[in-house]
Amino acid sequence: QVQLVESGGGLAQAGDSLRLSCAGSGRTFNSYAMGWFRQAPGSERQFVSAISTTGGSALYADFVKGRFTISRDNAKNTVFLQMNSLKPEDTAVYYCAARPLRTTTNAGGYDYWGQGTQVTVSS
């Protein structure tokens, strides 16, 4: 089992950068693919990015390509989401999630979720 805790959210202005972190518990963190999702009020949870167990491959939603970068440090049981060139439409609660082995863009494919961190971007 994996427990996940996100941090790094907050208030930003359009064009700013934020770095989200997700700390995982357990000795098998490196056997989990990790994903980031977001959910705005009144909207469904939306895939943002995912990274393989080793960090060797990543997936991105089209609306964040070139702006967001996912990475992980398995020695520290942490996955990151570097968000650059933020836009007001990036405002949402951001969640990290874990699933064994392979990445997927499907939220239903993830077994473990953090509590979320709020990101608010003003224009």
Side-chain angles (χ1 to χ4, degrees), residues 10-11 22 24 26 33 37 73-74 79 81-82 85 91-92 100-101 104 111 123:
L11 299 174
C22 174
F37 292 78
D73 184 343
N74 283 339
V79 63
L81 186 67
Q82 177 67 43
S85 302
T91 295
L101 301 178
T104 178
D111 298 317
S123 57

Side-chain angles (χ1 to χ4, degrees), residues 35-96:
W36 284 98
F37 292 78
R38 70 186 189 185
Q39 189 167 18
S43 300
E44 294 186 351
R45 195 162 294 190
Q46 186 180 42
F47 171 75
V48 175
S49 183
I51 191 167
S52 64
T53 56
T54 64
S57 64
L59 302 172
Y60 294 95
D62 286 344
F63 54 80
V64 301
K65 283 182 180 177
R67 299 190 300 125
F68 292 9
T69 303
I70 191 170
S71 61
R72 66 188 297 163
D73 184 343
N74 283 339
K76 297 182 178 179
N77 283 11
T78 304
V79 63
F80 304 98
L81 186 67
Q82 177 67 43
M83 306 187 296
N84 298 331
S85 302
L86 283 164
K87 304 176 181 180
E89 50 264 44
D90 293 321
T91 295
V93 178
Y94 284 72
Y95 299 89
C96 71

